[in-house]
Amino acid sequence: MSIRHILLGLLAAGPSHGYDLKRRHDERFPQARPLAYGQVYTTLQRLVRDGLAEIEGTDSDGGPERTMYRSTKDGARELTAWAGQIAPPAPFVTNEIFAKVVVSILAGGDPETYLRAQRTAHMERMRELTALKTGRNADLATVLSADYALNHLDADLRWMTTTAARLITLTAEVDAV
């Protein structure tokens, strides 16, 4: 995810200071890793440097002085271009689970037991996400984020089932090389 473009998107709603942008990011993308304040301010400085945002002024609102940022016309154009770009599907997905299966075979381990344990972990995470998205206070962003993660976990589970069924052949291939 491009933090640069997410911040530009949040600035599209109007001028904001870094604290506000971090809070709004964490609210709008509840399943994403929360932004660190340092990351927000570093990204804002780069946006200003690149002419995509500018400092509108400062305010204190009874507290410490805060710098207000706003998007520029160039920033709005870049945001529009980025939002319209198709994210290319990866030709191969880096798969840590597959790597662990192969390493387990190479090391004389038990890849079948590993796959069962991984499946259990995936199922537990799926239960957590289902509870989160069906909770009383779940907003649409949370539901959609959970659905996205659930679909990916489901694909992993299908892959694990297929791989478990092919372990004898995979083991023979790995051992032959």
Side-chain angles (χ1 to χ4, degrees):
M1 186 163 66
S2 169
I3 300 305
R4 167 188 181 100
H5 292 101
I6 297 300
L7 291 181
L8 279 173
L10 294 171
L11 284 172
S16 295
H17 50 79
Y19 175 81
D20 228 17
L21 292 168
K22 184 236 183 303
R23 182 185 52 77
R24 288 179 25 224
H25 168 274
D26 295 350
E27 288 172 357
R28 298 238 184 245
F29 304 100
Q31 298 303 311
R33 182 174 35 171
L35 287 180
Y37 287 105
Q39 186 178 19
V40 171
Y41 289 105
T42 300
T43 304
L44 286 168
Q45 289 169 353
R46 288 183 186 136
L47 289 171
V48 169
R49 177 198 68 201
D50 297 343
L52 304 175
E54 59 191 15
I55 295 173
E56 176 157 290
T58 58
D59 70 5
S60 64
D61 201 22
E65 190 171 276
R66 295 183 181 147
T67 303
M68 298 290 288
Y69 297 87
R70 70 179 180 89
S71 180
T72 63
K73 288 182 181 180
D74 286 345
R77 277 193 292 275
E78 176 159 325
L79 178 63
T80 299
W82 175 79
Q85 291 173 348
I86 301 301
F92 293 100
V93 178
T94 303
N95 187 334
E96 183 176 351
I97 299 169
F98 176 66
K100 288 182 177 186
V101 168
V102 171
V103 168
S104 179
I105 293 168
L106 290 169
D110 186 357
E112 191 170 352
T113 299
Y114 167 74
L115 284 171
R116 274 196 305 273
Q118 187 64 57
R119 181 178 178 78
T120 299
H122 269 57
M123 295 295 292
E124 177 58 30
R125 182 63 181 143
M126 290 176 84
R127 282 189 286 277
E128 291 168 0
L129 288 167
T130 299
L132 180 68
K133 79 177 217 164
T134 58
R136 287 184 63 203
N137 297 324
D139 60 1
L140 185 56
T142 298
V143 171
L144 293 173
S145 294
D147 283 343
Y148 184 85
L150 284 164
N151 280 300
H152 281 265
L153 290 167
D154 184 58
D156 284 351
L157 288 172
R158 288 190 311 254
W159 178 87
M160 283 184 248
T161 300
T162 301
T163 301
R166 296 175 174 166
L167 274 177
I168 293 172
T169 305
L170 178 62
T171 300
E173 287 183 12
V174 169
D175 288 343
V177 175

